Amino acid sequence: MAFRNIIQGTLFLGGGAVAAVYGLSQLTNKKKKSIITHVQAAEPVKTTNQHELPSREAQLLSLENMKEFDVLVIGGGATGCGCALDAVTRGLKTALVERDDFSSGTSSRSTKLIHGGVRYLQKAIMKLDVEQYRLVKEALHERANLLEIAPHLSAPLPIMLPVYKWWQLPYYWVGIKAYDLVAGSQCLKGSYVLSKSKALELFPMLQKDRLVGAIVYYDGQHNDARMNLAIALTAARYGAATANYTEVVGLLKKTDPQTGTERVCGARCRDVLTGQAFDVRAKCVINATGPFTDSVRKMDNQETLKICQPSAGVHIVMPGYYSPDNMGLLDPATSDGRVIFFLPWEKMTIAGTTDTPTEITHHPIPTEEDINFILTEVRNYLSSDVEVRRGDVLAAWSGIRPLVTNPNSANTQSISRNHVVDVSETGLVTIAGGKWTTYRSMAEDTLDAAIKSHNLNAGPCKTVGLFLEGGKDWAPTLYIRLVQDYGLESEVAQHLATTYGDKAFEVAKLAKVTGRRWPIVGKRLVSEFPYIEAEVKYALREYACTAVDIISRRTRLAFLNVQAAEEALPRIVDIMGKELNWKDQKKKEELETAKQFLYYEMGYKARSEQLTDQSEINLSPSDIDRYKKRFHKFDKDKKGFITILDVQRVLENINVQMDPKNLHEILNEVDLNKNGQVELNEFLQLMSAIQKGFVSGSRLAILMKSVEENLDQREAIPVDRSGGGV
């Protein structure tokens, strides 16, 4: 009886929720008569149809030599590139500069979701907040558009919301159904309820104790850095002069002869790679610099108030076996009220995110505290059969969200991702806030404001339904042609098709013959990932300038596995050096810079600190004896340490050959005091860290265990099989 009353009460709430959604929609419709129920392409725009993109050098010449652009965009993230694409397709002479690489900041460090925002809808319903409702409605429309214009880089993803209390089942069901209702005809797929058994069948790693069922709804997922790059490349194809590694060091101003007031008329820029400075003049300058919005605003006016409050979001990447191949997980209420997503991505598993106030920096670093917070929340939702180990964190990163806030506000978690377009007294147009999904509509609002405030001669927005680089002729079966026509591995072909779309054939043409029966072409950079050497060459055509650009944004190796990225670096630098005529010193610098990036920004530092020369040894006496015996199979002379020669000698006894360079790397991972040898104490520290879950996948530990088992089997050969004895 009590349960029935709860259900009735919840359904009453549900009716109220549906009514609230309907009421909010009516309020919105009064202000916006036409509702877009399907993504319809805007009026076609003409492209330059150039087969090859202009080189970075050619783009820099355009920036220097153009007498005056209509629009100069500062910032090469999703919003900045979106503004450039919007402007150039309206017929405006457009320029874009980015201090680092395209998508080097927040836009490459997201949760990889294209979503409307379930929790924003909850706020809209509970508080009858029309602005929050509009945000969700707009985001759901943009979600549908993005899935359509870049089908190779994005796809719908089912996300499971596990329910552990009976009364929550109808409560959450109503909220998710309201989400479908707001999406209308743009709903990807209808949400549905699962029984406990069905939920465990689809997500077998799930915590089953007290589980009563689950709700599955659909959002979009994408490759964020590649999506950002696709927007930038599309803008360049349409004629925008775009240049990465081009820093704005100051704003240019002139006095308006009619009003006598100062107006922004361009920017003083510097090529970060060469140090050369030059001016770029433009009728309108757009500030789309994300977390660095206020620094550009202060170039305009030192007295201006801050409008951005940065928030750090940390994500971790774990092996793919932590989640099903095609089912995400949402924890709607973590221990501190935050939301955690647990999602399959690029055959790995992403978990995140945190939401904490932070200082603005170009090089955000994931903290051990944030990593452990995420791991703790993951443990709460996964079965006790699955040991969630700190050592399974393959990569970690922190992204700084540019939240719009009142300068007096302190709580970033309550801030909406609404965007703000501001035009200063001098004409600087600033776009701030928002979120990845709504980059296009943010760009449209920004250009509308720029055109109005600067009296620019431009047509209407044409980016709805406008295909991004690689999307127009992509098809789900495109990879089959790559396999058949070029002899690529199926996994590699699928990767190329979903990364480059219809441009995948251009990458395949650059692939070298392997000399093997199969695959015919396409040598991998690292064995466990489908990235091939040809992609490094192709990345240079996509304006990659550094090794970091390759491992983090042209490929996603750094975001998937920092150790694999480090392993691939020497070959990547060699290829780039050959193509760009780098000298040995330049190659050495690139290698070191990339390693520093992996160490600090991608979680390698936090990972390596799990095993140091200060690590404690917490092993039982029996475990210590067992590991000592294993160690002494290599340390035959009882020196107290082992070297490469010791390992090679033992391997030769069992007829195993290993490259000395690989052996050096394997031992170096455990050589904590870096004296060229692994001491018994270091080995015991390693085994203790493995037992506690701080370290996983240690090559030395696996090698020594395998050798020990092999030797034990040889020693235990029975007499009747040895051929001896009378």
Side-chain angles (χ1 to χ4, degrees):
M1 183 67 180
F3 174 69
R4 188 174 67 182
N5 290 338
I6 291 173
I7 293 293
Q8 288 174 343
T10 309
L11 290 177
F12 177 77
L13 171 65
V18 173
V21 170
Y22 178 76
L24 288 168
S25 68
Q26 293 304 303
L27 284 170
T28 304
N29 294 344
K30 287 179 181 178
K31 294 194 174 184
K32 189 174 182 179
K33 293 287 185 182
S34 61
I35 305 174
I36 303 175
T37 55
H38 298 280
V39 176
Q40 297 178 346
E43 180 184 338
V45 289
K46 291 183 179 180
T47 178
T48 56
N49 285 323
Q50 51 202 2
H51 180 66
E52 288 192 5
L53 288 161
S55 66
R56 179 174 179 273
E57 290 71 24
Q59 297 283 40
L60 286 170
L61 283 174
S62 296
L63 289 171
E64 291 183 56
N65 297 333
M66 179 68 71
K67 183 178 180 181
E68 185 181 50
F69 288 95
D70 293 316
V71 173
L72 167 63
V73 181
I74 306 173
T79 305
C81 291
C83 287
L85 180 58
D86 189 294
V88 75
T89 52
R90 293 192 195 214
L92 296 171
K93 289 183 290 184
T94 304
L96 179 145
V97 292
E98 160 60 43
R99 171 172 44 193
D100 206 297
D101 186 25
F102 302 117
S103 195
S104 59
T106 309
S107 295
S108 64
R109 306 179 189 221
S110 73
T111 312
K112 324 302 179 195
L113 285 177
I114 310 169
H115 63 116
V118 174
R119 57 184 174 141
Y120 303 147
L121 182 60
Q122 180 189 26
K123 291 179 182 179
I125 294 172
M126 294 301 185
K127 299 179 180 180
L128 291 178
D129 188 331
V130 177
E131 287 304 315
Q132 289 282 349
Y133 173 81
R134 284 185 185 140
L135 174 66
V136 177
K137 184 75 175 174
E138 175 187 58
L140 288 171
H141 168 64
E142 294 303 322
R143 179 187 71 178
N145 182 65
L146 200 47
L147 288 166
E148 183 171 312
I149 64 176
H152 57 304
L153 292 170
S154 58
L157 176 71
I159 300 175
M160 181 182 292
L161 196 162
V163 179
Y164 289 91
K165 295 178 182 177
W166 278 107
W167 68 267
Q168 290 179 333
L169 201 57
Y171 176 80
Y172 286 136
W173 178 82
V174 167
I176 295 299
K177 278 300 176 186
Y179 193 58
D180 292 347
L181 179 64
V182 174
S185 63
Q186 294 174 340
C187 179
L188 301 180
K189 282 187 180 181
S191 57
Y192 54 91
V193 177
L194 293 175
S195 65
K196 176 179 178 178
S197 60
K198 190 64 177 176
L200 292 172
E201 179 184 330
L202 293 175
F203 208 121
M205 311 84 174
L206 201 58
Q207 170 65 262
K208 56 188 173 185
D209 295 339
R210 305 187 317 279
L211 182 70
V212 298
I215 300 169
V216 175
Y217 73 99
Y218 285 79
D219 256 326
Q221 188 179 51
H222 69 154
N223 185 335
D224 53 1
R226 292 294 315 184
M227 185 73 80
N228 192 157
L229 183 63
I231 302 167
L233 296 178
T234 307
R237 291 248 184 232
Y238 279 99
T242 61
N244 54 352
Y245 293 100
T246 305
E247 179 183 17
V248 169
V249 295
L251 296 177
L252 304 178
K253 293 184 179 180
K254 66 180 180 181
T255 302
D256 188 325
Q258 295 181 343
T259 63
T261 58
E262 276 195 326
R263 302 286 290 177
V264 173
C265 63
R268 181 69 173 170
C269 297
R270 183 178 71 89
D271 183 342
V272 175
L273 302 182
T274 65
Q276 181 181 350
F278 55 91
D279 291 339
V280 178
R281 298 195 173 274
K283 297 173 184 175
C284 171
V285 176
I286 295 175
N287 170 20
T289 53
F292 304 96
T293 292
D294 289 323
S295 63
V296 176
R297 281 163 51 82
K298 286 188 177 293
M299 287 183 185
D300 179 32
N301 178 8
Q302 280 292 329
E303 304 302 318
T304 192
L305 294 176
K306 291 184 177 181
I307 63 171
C308 273
Q309 182 169 315
S311 169
V314 171
H315 295 81
I316 64 174
V317 168
M318 305 177 78
Y321 56 70
Y322 273 97
S323 64
D325 292 338
N326 192 36
M327 179 70 74
L329 185 74
L330 166 64
D331 178 357
T334 62
S335 56
D336 67 349
R338 290 183 271 193
V339 172
I340 290 284
F341 285 99
F342 195 62
L343 310 167
W345 183 69
E346 299 287 320
K347 297 189 177 179
M348 294 294 176
T349 302
I350 289 182
T353 179
T354 59
D355 191 357
T356 52
T358 187
E359 295 296 319
I360 294 176
T361 173
H362 292 289
H363 308 288
I365 298 172
T367 66
E368 187 63 23
E369 181 183 0
D370 284 329
I371 291 171
N372 284 322
F373 166 78
I374 296 171
L375 287 173
T376 299
E377 296 303 324
V378 168
R379 288 188 188 101
N380 292 337
Y381 269 83
L382 294 189
S383 169
S384 57
D385 296 337
V386 180
E387 183 185 358
V388 180
R389 304 178 298 182
R390 172 62 181 82
D392 283 339
V393 177
L394 305 175
W397 67 85
S398 176
I400 301 177
R401 302 186 189 93
L403 308 183
V404 181
T405 182
N406 182 310
N408 299 317
S409 176
N411 180 13
T412 64
Q413 295 172 40
S414 63
I415 298 171
S416 168
R417 269 60 173 177
N418 278 323
H419 64 271
V420 170
V421 179
D422 175 71
V423 182
S424 72
E425 293 180 357
T426 60
L428 176 67
V429 179
T430 294
I431 170 66
K435 60 179 185 173
W436 224 121
T437 307
T438 58
Y439 85 90
R440 192 213 61 81
S441 61
M442 291 164 61
E444 181 179 354
D445 290 348
T446 305
L447 264 296
D448 286 346
I451 290 166
K452 181 179 179 181
S453 61
H454 290 78
N455 297 315
L456 301 177
N457 183 19
C461 177
K462 298 179 180 179
T463 53
V464 173
L466 181 71
F467 279 107
L468 298 182
E469 177 90 346
K472 186 175 182 181
D473 295 322
W474 176 84
T477 57
L478 184 145
Y479 80 95
I480 297 175
R481 288 176 55 198
L482 291 170
V483 175
Q484 294 175 336
D485 294 353
Y486 294 93
L488 288 161
E489 291 176 79
S490 181
E491 184 186 11
V492 170
Q494 289 181 53
H495 153 67
L496 295 181
T498 56
T499 300
Y500 303 94
D502 57 31
K503 304 297 181 187
F505 297 100
E506 296 181 22
V507 183
K509 289 173 186 176
L510 298 174
K512 288 186 176 181
V513 175
T514 63
R516 292 151 50 191
R517 184 185 64 79
W518 190 263
I520 299 172
V521 301
K523 186 176 180 182
R524 296 190 182 213
L525 289 167
V526 284
S527 59
E528 69 265 43
F529 290 95
Y531 302 111
I532 59 174
E533 292 182 352
E535 292 181 78
V536 180
K537 292 183 180 180
Y538 191 75
L540 302 180
R541 301 181 184 180
E542 297 180 319
Y543 305 123
C545 299
T546 70
V548 172
D549 297 343
I550 304 288
I551 61 175
S552 59
R553 293 174 286 275
R554 301 313 183 278
T555 73
R556 307 310 307 273
L557 258 180
F559 283 79
L560 296 171
N561 189 315
V562 287
Q563 287 184 307
E566 184 182 45
E567 182 183 326
L569 270 175
R571 183 59 186 145
I572 289 171
V573 170
D574 281 345
I575 296 170
M576 294 185 76
K578 186 176 180 180
E579 295 293 317
L580 300 174
N581 297 315
W582 285 347
K583 294 182 179 179
D584 288 343
Q585 181 59 32
K586 172 63 175 175
K587 290 164 69 173
K588 186 178 178 181
E589 291 171 0
E590 280 294 320
L591 199 59
E592 184 57 32
T593 299
K595 286 183 177 180
Q596 290 293 306
F597 168 78
L598 292 173
Y599 188 72
Y600 289 105
E601 296 187 50
M602 300 311 300
Y604 212 149
K605 179 176 185 290
R607 181 181 175 89
S608 63
E609 287 174 349
Q610 302 307 307
L611 179 64
T612 70
D613 56 2
Q614 302 298 316
S615 297
E616 295 181 359
I617 299 174
N618 293 319
L619 296 169
S620 67
S622 61
D623 282 338
I624 290 177
D625 288 341
R626 180 159 56 94
Y627 294 138
K628 279 184 176 179
K629 288 178 182 177
R630 183 177 301 172
F631 187 84
H632 287 140
K633 288 186 183 293
F634 291 79
D635 181 22
K636 294 285 188 181
D637 303 327
K638 303 292 176 68
K639 306 182 300 295
F641 63 85
I642 58 175
T643 64
I644 290 177
L645 292 176
D646 294 318
V647 178
Q648 283 178 324
R649 185 175 62 243
V650 175
L651 291 177
E652 285 173 3
N653 289 337
I654 59 173
N655 300 318
V656 174
Q657 297 291 326
M658 283 192 71
D659 183 354
K661 183 181 177 182
N662 289 339
L663 272 180
H664 174 75
E665 292 176 354
I666 290 171
L667 265 68
N668 191 54
E669 291 174 2
V670 190
D671 179 13
L672 304 179
N673 56 14
K674 303 305 176 188
N675 62 355
Q677 58 198 30
V678 174
E679 294 151 10
L680 174 60
N681 198 61
E682 290 173 324
F683 179 66
L684 294 177
Q685 286 174 313
L686 168 66
M687 301 314 297
S688 179
I690 289 173
Q691 276 200 9
K692 289 186 287 186
F694 295 160
V695 172
S696 66
S698 167
R699 293 186 287 178
L700 181 64
I702 294 170
L703 172 66
M704 292 179 72
K705 181 182 179 182
S706 175
V707 169
E708 180 187 44
E709 291 172 349
N710 194 304
L711 290 172
D712 288 346
Q713 286 175 1
R714 288 172 176 240
E715 292 169 2
I717 296 177
V719 173
D720 59 62
R721 290 185 57 200
S722 67
V726 290

